[in-house]
Amino acid sequence: MGFWLAEQRTAQRSSFIQRFDPRFWTINFPRPMMASVVTMASDALRVDAVFYNSDDLAGLIWESEDALDHPLLAYETKRDYSRLKWEFHWRSEGIMPLDAINGPTLTIEGRDAAGLAKSWYVRLWNYASGTPTDADISIEFSRVKGGFLLPGEADPVFPADIDRLFISIIPPEYDELGTRYSTPKIGWVEMSAIRTDGQGAVLEIGDIMMPEHGLAMATAYDDSFNQTPERLLRAIRALGYRGSINHYLGMSHYFRLETLGEGLYVSLAAPREGEEFAAINQPTAVWHRDLISRSETMGFSVILSLSYELFDAHCWNDWKQRAENGDPALTGWEPPSTLLSPANANAMSYLQAVARAFTAIARDAGAAIRFQVGEPWWWIMPDQRICLYDAAATAALGPASVSIASINGPKTAVQEAMLDQAGAILAQSTAALLDAVKQEAGGAPVETLLLAYLPTILDEQAPEAKRANLPVDWASPAFDILQLEDYDWVITGNRSATRNGIELATQRLGYPISQQHYFSGFVLAAGDRFIWANMATAIADAQARGTPEIYVWALPQVARDGFTYFQEEEEDVNAFDDVQFPLAMGQGASVSPGFSTRIVTTISGHEKRNSDWSDARLEFDVGPGIRSEEELGVLIAFFRARRGAAKAFRFRDPYDHSSRDMVGDPTPTDQLLGKGDGQQTQFQLVKNYGDPVGEPQQRWITRPDPDSLQIAIDGQLAGDWSLGPTGLIAFDTSPAEGSDVTAGFLFDVPVRFASDQLRVNHATFLAGEIPEVVLVEVRETS
């Protein structure tokens, strides 16, 4: 496997799109309203909106700079709109009409001729022909003017430096008072026959198509609600992802709301005119129907993921999980979400209605119904209080409800019994949720999946948490597929924790690897780009386990950081034979270490030297070690088995093969691998050359002799470690902060034959001529 964090498109393939291509518009709005945008044709889009307050406002947005797409797929930045003509057909219903005082306005944000930031407010009705709800609109940017009444209030637009276009979409009774509507308002807008002419009418756009690499993509509605599904699917396919799309339905955008006092709460009231479902809002329904239908056409299979998480401000108070003192379960997001109590019948009925709505969309689209229960659990507070004490949970637990001040540490028998019963309640709730999905499917096959977050469920500080949050009632065949995620462990590179966690979950629930999926990592912040390397390693580990489906989470982070994954050729993956070059011949080899240094002589005669390699690359001539016809035959057979230069292998350097000095007997304190920090569990084997006080030259050891390997922590032999691929030491428990992690070992050099041809003249060999047989070191990384 390999990956690249692309920052910009250089020589990669590109094509062209019409400026204002419907796929690349976005929608934005403040809470609590909701809106979505989908494409209807190559020149048409639709916006659906629901308004709860009289000052709700959505913006349909075109950005001059594409900051959402992967760098290899983004359209070019072009801020000059001079001599550009833009035309489209407008239709609307349930929103402020074009001719109203606050009718749809095109806000143009940019800079004036003096370079000062400025916004122009263009009344679309001034450039429309037709009715206030059905009109043709034509904008010539070099002539367009802001202002309500023209020509008296004309404010000419400077078209050469524009950042963004923003079309306002508001309810018919809009005012700035923010009055709550007794009944939410439903509206829509369609823009069709979109076309541009003149200068800058087309934009260059990335048009790469990465080879399929066997990975699947994870998305989330809360992260991508503002984009068109067609844009998202274009990116997923172009980046090489195939098969499944695991789509988290989110916790903050899908719901319908109803008023109680000053608050808005999730609703199951009967759908109103213009709505299809009681549990989810209409913009969400339209968006997901488009996503699922397009996915089917493109050969993707969407897994609908629903969690017990809900935006806190809109959750009914008695539905929330609570700690023993009554504190609600709140996540660390801002603003926070909360967790629905599995014991609360109303909360679970609501969740089932949501699941039914999305299932109906998939069923009616003729798509395979794949439903994931995502991270269902009893919430554990940051201070380790477990939220088992809401009124419904207390009633359901009955006499089993006892005090658990902290989930950490061992538990008494009665506390264990309470956790077991809580786990049974959780499992009953997930079973009921799956039953609702199957009923809505109406006889169509349903694949059921469970997503479990191992670092919390299997926290070694809380060994009994699994009783409540990984209940045995989830054991196979309760679900068809067990999906596992381990973000915290991936972030810290704790591969042993992942290995142990997956083994424990497999043993506890009984799903074989053929019925498991794996989710690799998460890069929350742009400054943490190093995590992608850990994710790539985790992907390789999952492939080695034989995991059928492996997901990258998630598309917005992939696009933000330019993560580009590629599967190397099978021959490359298997291009190392873990065999030793015949030792007897190797003992007579000559060695030539080499560096790559670029030397530039300046005009003043001084030199500037740039070392391109941090470590020497070795070459060996093993010809001098061949002393008989028998050994020559062994060499030829070994060469043929490696297919010439195709396969690398181990070679024992006769002059340097030990961690102690060059050829001494190793001891466990020979080489310092690093300092423990209480979190890191992986350390690369290295050998340091030169003055340890200055800047020693460090060499990675990727092919140690396993039988010789000794690991120590602060000078004491350690036993809780394993040797991973390419010389990576993985501890079961991270070494303590400040401790010295050291190692001793014998090692080999990974090499290959320098050529695909082996030239040996039998006659001259018998006459004493020594053949030249060159081996070249192969660079390996973990």
Side-chain angles (χ1 to χ4, degrees):
M1 61 84 194
F3 74 94
W4 171 36
L5 299 183
E7 295 185 358
Q8 62 181 1
R9 190 169 63 255
T10 52
Q12 292 79 25
R13 178 177 173 178
S14 63
S15 58
F16 295 91
I17 61 168
Q18 176 184 239
R19 201 195 299 237
F20 306 133
D21 186 310
R23 293 173 293 177
F24 301 101
W25 287 82
T26 61
I27 191 77
N28 211 343
F29 45 86
R31 299 184 190 278
M33 75 161 292
M34 179 60 196
S36 67
V37 56
V38 301
T39 51
M40 301 167 58
S42 61
D43 63 351
L45 61 82
R46 177 184 171 101
V47 174
D48 286 87
V50 54
F51 308 98
Y52 294 101
N53 299 315
S54 64
D55 62 348
D56 284 346
L57 181 151
L60 182 62
I61 299 169
W62 177 270
E63 300 279 1
S64 296
E65 179 181 3
D66 183 353
L68 292 176
D69 280 305
H70 189 283
L72 301 183
L73 294 169
Y75 57 78
E76 69 172 307
T77 299
K78 187 174 287 188
R79 293 186 169 85
D80 189 354
Y81 290 63
S82 304
R83 293 177 290 283
L84 176 68
K85 184 178 183 180
W86 173 35
E87 298 177 304
F88 58 90
H89 185 73
W90 173 280
R91 292 179 63 238
S92 64
E93 183 177 294
I95 71 160
M96 189 75 78
L98 288 167
D99 63 342
I101 292 177
N102 289 315
T105 299
L106 172 64
T107 300
I108 300 176
E109 300 174 354
R111 280 153 294 279
D112 62 18
L116 300 177
K118 182 175 172 60
S119 296
W120 294 267
Y121 303 96
V122 179
R123 187 188 186 201
L124 288 180
W125 183 242
N126 289 337
Y127 298 90
S129 60
T131 72
T133 59
D134 192 333
D136 291 315
I137 296 174
S138 179
I139 304 289
E140 295 184 56
F141 284 91
S142 293
R143 296 184 175 185
V144 71
K145 298 176 176 61
F148 183 76
L149 295 176
L150 301 181
E153 299 175 355
D155 183 12
V157 171
F158 180 69
D161 197 1
I162 293 174
D163 291 328
R164 185 171 85 146
L165 307 182
F166 179 109
I167 298 176
S168 60
I169 300 171
I170 59 178
E173 299 86 359
Y174 177 86
D175 61 42
E176 297 180 358
L177 300 178
T179 305
R180 176 69 46 76
Y181 293 131
S182 58
T183 301
K185 307 295 182 183
I186 307 295
W188 56 264
V189 171
E190 290 179 357
M191 291 171 57
S192 60
I194 300 171
R195 57 186 180 272
T196 54
D197 291 301
Q199 178 177 291
V202 297
L203 300 175
E204 185 181 3
I205 189 170
D207 194 23
I208 66 160
M209 185 60 68
M210 292 294 298
E212 298 178 24
H213 44 57
L215 302 185
M217 175 53 68
T219 65
Y221 188 47
D222 291 346
D223 292 335
S224 54
F225 65 90
N226 62 324
Q227 300 181 60
T228 67
E230 189 174 2
R231 182 180 195 172
L232 301 174
L233 292 172
R234 169 185 178 263
I236 292 170
R237 183 172 182 271
L239 293 172
Y241 299 91
R242 294 294 187 274
S244 301
I245 296 176
N246 197 93
H247 178 67
Y248 177 41
L249 300 168
M251 56 86 184
S252 61
H253 287 86
Y254 66 74
F255 37 64
R256 291 174 69 238
L257 298 173
E258 64 182 55
T259 298
L260 178 66
E262 296 298 317
L264 280 167
Y265 297 89
V266 295
S267 175
L268 281 175
R272 296 176 291 272
E273 183 179 357
E275 293 181 314
E276 300 173 64
F277 300 102
I280 67 175
N281 60 62
Q282 190 60 20
T284 292
V286 171
W287 194 94
H288 281 86
R289 181 173 292 104
D290 191 62
L291 174 74
I292 293 172
S293 297
R294 291 184 184 279
S295 296
E296 281 293 300
T297 301
M298 296 175 67
F300 288 112
S301 177
V302 177
I303 298 172
L304 298 170
S305 168
L306 182 63
S307 77
Y308 283 43
E309 189 176 358
L310 193 63
F311 190 66
D312 179 64
H314 300 319
C315 183
W316 298 95
N317 284 327
D318 60 339
W319 291 9
K320 301 175 185 179
Q321 296 181 26
R322 293 186 181 273
E324 192 170 2
N325 70 343
D327 288 344
L330 298 179
T331 65
W333 301 111
E334 185 57 42
S337 53
T338 189
L339 277 296
L340 299 177
S341 171
N344 188 290
N346 291 331
M348 293 300 98
S349 293
Y350 171 76
L351 208 60
Q352 292 165 24
V354 173
R356 283 179 176 272
F358 286 109
T359 299
I361 292 173
R363 178 201 63 210
D364 295 346
I369 300 173
R370 308 177 71 192
F371 184 83
Q372 177 212 89
V373 185
E375 298 179 0
W377 53 19
W378 296 98
W379 186 249
I380 296 173
M381 300 281 207
D383 59 7
Q384 303 307 301
R385 289 179 293 155
I386 189 168
C387 294
L388 291 173
Y389 300 94
D390 60 272
T394 298
L397 290 167
S401 183
V402 297
S403 176
I404 299 179
S406 169
I407 194 62
N408 283 359
K411 295 290 171 274
T412 65
V414 292
Q415 289 174 327
E416 289 179 354
M418 178 185 180
L419 293 171
D420 285 337
Q421 189 167 334
I425 293 170
L426 179 61
Q428 290 168 6
S429 75
T430 58
L433 185 56
L434 297 183
D435 286 342
V437 169
K438 293 173 182 177
Q439 291 170 10
E440 189 65 37
V446 176
E447 182 183 55
T448 60
L449 306 96
L450 170 70
L451 179 63
Y453 186 70
L454 297 182
T456 295
I457 294 173
L458 302 180
D459 184 353
E460 63 181 10
Q461 301 300 317
E464 305 305 332
K466 61 181 178 290
R467 294 176 178 270
N469 285 336
L470 199 67
V472 292
D473 289 341
W474 281 345
S476 178
F479 293 83
D480 295 317
I481 300 292
L482 174 64
Q483 297 180 305
L484 301 174
E485 53 180 340
D486 60 344
Y487 300 161
D488 287 358
W489 296 336
V490 170
I491 288 170
T492 58
N494 195 340
R495 295 165 75 185
S496 61
T498 293
R499 182 181 64 252
N500 295 337
I502 290 175
E503 288 176 356
L504 196 156
T506 302
Q507 293 168 5
R508 184 170 176 83
L509 299 184
Y511 294 87
I513 195 69
S514 60
Q515 291 176 255
Q516 291 183 21
H517 294 172
Y518 176 71
F519 287 71
S520 172
F522 185 75
V523 184
L524 181 62
D528 294 334
R529 290 160 63 93
F530 72 93
I531 297 173
W532 290 111
N534 293 352
M535 289 175 59
T537 299
I539 289 168
D541 290 344
Q543 290 170 332
R545 290 193 298 270
T547 309
E549 292 193 19
I550 302 169
Y551 296 82
V552 174
W553 183 278
L555 182 59
Q557 287 75 35
V558 166
R560 180 198 65 203
D561 294 341
F563 180 71
T564 311
Y565 184 87
F566 48 90
Q567 185 67 54
E568 295 173 329
E569 294 295 328
E570 183 178 356
E571 189 67 19
D572 293 335
V573 174
N574 299 315
F576 188 90
D577 284 347
D578 199 9
V579 296
Q580 187 81 48
F581 184 81
L583 284 174
M585 287 185 241
Q587 291 298 317
S590 62
V591 59
S592 303
F595 284 89
S596 173
T597 304
R598 290 182 289 116
I599 302 175
V600 177
T601 303
T602 67
I603 195 170
S604 63
H606 293 86
E607 287 185 349
K608 294 185 68 174
R609 293 178 293 277
N610 298 310
S611 181
D612 293 335
W613 298 349
S614 60
D615 190 9
R617 188 184 192 192
L618 302 176
E619 286 191 2
F620 302 91
D621 183 0
V622 296
I626 305 170
R627 297 183 175 88
S628 67
E629 286 188 81
E630 181 181 356
E631 288 183 341
L632 180 61
V634 171
L635 172 66
I636 293 173
F638 190 84
F639 179 83
R640 290 176 66 88
R642 308 287 82 74
R643 301 181 186 178
K647 300 275 190 175
F649 50 91
R650 287 177 178 261
F651 179 78
R652 183 66 55 90
D653 183 345
Y655 309 105
D656 181 8
H657 57 255
S658 174
S659 59
R660 186 180 180 200
D661 299 325
M662 302 300 276
V663 296
D665 293 332
T667 70
T669 58
D670 290 342
Q671 299 293 328
L672 178 65
L673 307 186
K675 289 277 190 180
D677 61 5
Q679 292 187 342
Q680 183 179 352
T681 59
Q682 298 182 49
F683 294 82
Q684 175 65 44
L685 288 178
V686 296
K687 182 175 181 180
N688 296 290
Y689 297 82
D691 183 1
V693 179
E695 292 188 15
Q697 189 264 320
Q698 190 174 82
R699 175 185 186 182
W700 279 32
I701 304 301
T702 60
R703 297 291 168 178
D705 179 350
D707 294 334
S708 71
L709 189 55
Q710 305 170 66
I711 305 296
I713 299 177
D714 284 338
Q716 300 298 311
L717 279 172
D720 62 339
W721 57 270
S722 60
L723 174 62
T726 60
L728 199 63
I729 303 300
F731 287 91
D732 296 334
T733 304
S734 56
E737 186 172 359
S739 59
D740 287 336
V741 181
T742 57
F745 45 83
L746 301 176
F747 64 92
D748 299 311
V749 182
V751 299
R752 63 170 172 81
F753 286 100
S755 172
D756 279 326
Q757 290 183 318
L758 188 63
R759 289 189 174 91
V760 180
N761 185 298
H762 188 261
T764 57
F765 175 73
L766 293 178
E769 181 177 302
I770 299 174
E772 183 182 65
V773 182
V774 178
L775 309 180
V776 179
E777 182 179 8
V778 175
R779 287 288 169 81
E780 296 183 304
T781 58
S782 63

